[in-house]
Amino acid sequence: METTVGRHRRVIMFPLPYQGHVNPMFQLANLLYSKGFSITIFHTNFNKPKTSNYPHFTFRFILDNDPHDERYANLPLQGMGAFSRIFLFNKCGADQLRHQLELELSAKDEPPVSCLITDASWHFTQSVADSLNLPRLVLRTSSLFCFLIYASIPLLDDLGYFNLSDNTATPLLDGLGYNNVPDDERLEEQVAEFPVLKVKDVIKIGFKKDNDGMGDIISNMVKQTKASSGIIWNSFKELEQLQLETIRRDIPAPCFLIPFARHFTTASSSLLDHDRSFFPWLDQQPRNSVVYISFGSVAQVEEKHFMEMVHGLVDSKQSFLWVVRPGFVSGSTWLEPLPDGFPGEGGRIVEWAPQQEVLGHEAIGAFWTHSGWNSTVESVCEGVPMICSPFWGDQPLDARYVSDAWKVGVYLENGWKREEITNAIRRVMVDEEMRERSRVLKRKLDASLIEGGSSYESVESLVDYISSF
Ligand code: UDP
């Protein structure tokens, strides 16, 4: 399969190997390919994408090629432990990356390399790119407001927020030691530096200044994103206008905001197979009548919380399509804890679904989500209101913006309680004002994609910018 004929410039792209990062990077790769660039993907063997879905791209597998290297041979493949690769490769990946880049830069039979685009969390790549005089752009796969909040973690830590406790925080955070201090009235206070946020939202991020592994990754990510030649965001200007202005004021690198879900689907970059068997059932359901439920590719719940979800759902009496990933319920392979007769005729459960297509289906009336950023943007793109049950990281921040800033969802912020789940589902399904606000946001997004609109211009200026190297 030809990859380079008629293509005069090449972009090397290096995603973080997790579903929520792989999807937007491949959407961006498809977009740049459609604009005439030749694409080379650097990837780990861990969570290897289906290369046969991308015959027009060149793949190079780096960082974990040696099966006998004990540093990564026994790392967990799933759950939070799988993220340990981010620490390891950021620490020891530079030589391998430099070697592979030198090979690409000297290749005679490929178009010259214009730039490297890496996930922002591969912060080690900036110094490697600098040493080769290669421009590095970053793809930041969460929101602009999240970046600004992460950039303020040292300040928020100094203000003592991370020493408070929040009993509703996910048990995931227990091991990090954030739930040890007695509750404090300050939890409900606004954060002066980010008035949309409450103090408890900051705690739920789940990591603090550079005194734990993830805090270290985040501070380096912020630093090396600021040092990059450009930042690409999965967002759009009308959604995060103020944040864009702040970032443009503080960071010299140009910003490009592109809502990827409106350019390409994530079907080809899915690491799990999509089940489509429910579509005949979904096609039969009335407009806006079904709750779509998914908590992304990583989150896990305890069985008792899963059962609260089941009861809350049954009591809401709404039809639902529920993605229960194998391993989602801690200690279970898949659906063992479910009572007999569930889900019954009113619902369908699948392991993994073509999410964007589902959200675009007219039967879907609400999305009960973990508020991962891709899921949030995909829901905004389809004008679907949300019920937010965030777990950690950027998710509690996304949930707060969805419910309190854009008002296109309800935030279930007291953990897993069946009555609250039932009430939130019912409310979102009948709240016509919220549905209308979701539609208005979608219309703003649609307008931004038309020639002259902000998202359209972002794509054009990104292409011009890369072509200028
Ligand atoms: N996704 C999917 N099928 C599913 C559930 C999720 O294709 O059944 C996709 C979803 O469309 C999104 C990604 O997986 O693009 C999840 O990313 P997100 O940032 O929402 O959450 P994460 O998995 O990173 O926690």
Side-chain angles (χ1 to χ4, degrees):
M1 178 80 191
E2 64 87 15
T3 59
T4 58
V5 176
R7 294 176 185 269
H8 305 298
R9 290 191 165 267
R10 185 155 62 116
V11 176
I12 298 177
M13 309 183 74
F14 185 20
L16 210 65
Y18 306 94
Q19 188 73 80
H21 295 257
V22 164
N23 280 352
M25 187 65 93
F26 276 87
Q27 287 170 312
L28 176 61
N30 279 331
L31 186 59
L32 293 177
Y33 184 84
S34 76
K35 297 289 179 185
F37 294 97
S38 171
I39 303 295
T40 298
I41 304 279
F42 285 7
H43 208 285
T44 56
N45 291 280
F46 168 73
N47 274 348
K48 199 174 191 160
K50 289 177 191 140
T51 53
S52 55
N53 287 346
Y54 297 98
H56 47 312
F57 295 170
T58 303
F59 284 86
R60 311 279 188 224
F61 291 95
I62 61 167
L63 300 182
D64 57 357
N65 283 326
D66 178 1
H68 303 297
D69 191 324
E70 286 179 3
R71 287 173 305 177
Y72 48 76
N74 297 318
L75 291 179
L77 297 173
Q78 286 175 355
M80 296 300 288
F83 285 121
S84 42
R85 286 167 182 78
I86 309 180
F87 308 101
L88 180 68
F89 295 136
N90 266 309
K91 217 163 129 195
C92 63
D95 288 344
Q96 270 199 59
L97 176 68
R98 184 177 296 104
H99 175 66
Q100 190 61 45
L101 282 172
E102 281 168 346
L103 291 178
E104 304 298 337
L105 291 169
S106 58
K108 297 275 180 280
D109 51 350
E110 298 270 0
V113 178
S114 293
C115 68
L116 172 67
I117 302 181
T118 83
D119 192 283
S121 294
W122 282 142
H123 57 74
F124 78 102
T125 60
Q126 183 63 44
S127 59
V128 177
D130 285 344
S131 70
L132 297 169
N133 281 327
L134 181 65
R136 169 194 179 242
L137 277 71
V138 303
L139 170 64
R140 180 62 190 153
T141 58
S142 58
S143 61
L144 283 78
F145 62 75
C146 170
F147 182 85
L148 290 170
I149 295 161
Y150 278 5
S152 302
I153 282 180
L155 171 70
L156 299 171
D157 203 356
D158 290 345
L159 291 170
Y161 290 139
F162 295 104
N163 297 327
L164 303 170
S165 77
D166 174 7
N167 287 334
T168 68
T170 163
L172 194 74
L173 305 184
D174 290 350
L176 300 173
Y178 296 119
N179 289 344
N180 298 338
V181 188
D183 270 351
D184 192 293
E185 294 170 350
R186 289 179 65 196
L187 293 178
E188 294 296 328
E189 283 176 13
Q190 264 185 349
V191 177
E193 295 73 18
F194 298 95
V196 173
L197 295 187
K198 295 184 180 180
V199 170
K200 62 184 177 185
D201 302 330
V202 174
I203 297 168
K204 285 180 184 169
I205 293 174
F207 38 80
K208 41 190 173 178
K209 203 158 63 174
D210 35 35
N211 48 1
D212 65 51
M214 200 49 115
D216 214 19
I217 293 282
I218 294 298
S219 65
N220 282 316
M221 180 279 290
V222 168
K223 187 171 163 205
Q224 301 305 350
T225 296
K226 289 180 175 176
S228 74
S229 299
I231 316 172
I232 305 163
W233 310 83
N234 184 15
S235 190
F236 61 105
K237 183 179 158 199
E238 288 70 14
L239 191 67
E240 303 198 78
Q241 178 119 25
L242 291 177
Q243 290 81 4
L244 178 60
E245 283 164 20
T246 306
I247 286 177
R248 285 200 164 137
R249 203 182 52 225
D250 295 350
I251 304 181
C255 286
F256 308 93
L257 277 62
I258 304 171
F260 294 121
R262 293 305 296 272
H263 291 277
F264 288 92
T265 76
T266 57
S268 306
S269 56
S270 186
L271 297 170
L272 298 173
D273 290 332
H274 285 151
D275 183 339
R276 306 182 56 86
S277 61
F278 56 84
F279 273 111
W281 171 83
L282 194 61
D283 291 341
Q284 300 295 315
Q285 306 307 310
R287 193 178 169 78
N288 293 340
S289 70
V290 177
V291 185
Y292 170 63
I293 310 164
S294 167
F295 299 98
S297 61
V298 183
Q300 283 185 307
V301 284
E302 287 177 42
E303 185 174 324
K304 65 180 182 205
H305 295 145
F306 182 65
M307 293 314 293
E308 285 300 295
M309 297 164 82
V310 170
H311 287 294
L313 204 48
V314 169
D315 294 346
S316 78
K317 299 191 169 42
Q318 296 292 331
S319 303
F320 60 87
L321 169 64
W322 190 354
V323 173
V324 181
R325 229 181 46 250
F328 173 61
V329 186
S330 306
S332 297
T333 312
W334 192 34
L335 300 175
E336 297 91 300
L338 284 183
D340 287 344
F342 187 86
E345 255 322 285
R348 290 289 182 274
I349 297 181
V350 294
E351 294 187 0
W352 197 242
Q355 177 160 301
Q356 273 178 254
E357 200 180 332
V358 169
L359 287 169
H361 195 289
E362 63 172 19
I364 299 299
F367 180 14
W368 186 9
T369 169
H370 71 312
S371 299
W373 185 244
N374 293 290
S375 294
T376 303
V377 176
E378 288 161 15
S379 207
V380 167
C381 281
E382 299 300 340
V384 177
M386 287 167 260
I387 300 139
C388 304
S389 291
F391 287 68
W392 75 301
D394 62 334
Q395 298 158 15
L397 311 174
D398 301 343
R400 183 61 67 202
Y401 274 77
V402 164
S403 68
D404 290 24
W406 309 322
K407 302 188 191 323
V408 293
V410 166
Y411 185 176
L412 274 171
E413 49 190 298
N414 298 315
W416 307 102
K417 297 189 177 137
R418 64 182 75 179
E419 301 79 18
E420 292 184 16
I421 292 170
T422 303
N423 289 341
I425 292 175
R426 285 195 183 141
R427 186 181 149 204
V428 173
M429 292 302 273
V430 299
D431 190 333
E432 278 310 316
E433 287 178 12
M434 187 183 289
R435 194 171 301 287
E436 181 53 21
R437 279 193 295 275
S438 306
R439 284 195 204 107
V440 169
L441 209 48
K442 174 176 159 38
R443 283 201 287 271
K444 284 186 185 166
L445 170 60
D446 291 343
S448 82
L449 291 158
I450 296 168
E451 189 169 353
S454 63
S455 301
Y456 180 95
E457 293 303 327
S458 236
V459 173
E460 296 303 302
S461 51
L462 176 63
V463 169
D464 290 346
Y465 187 56
I466 296 177
S467 304
S468 73
F469 292 130

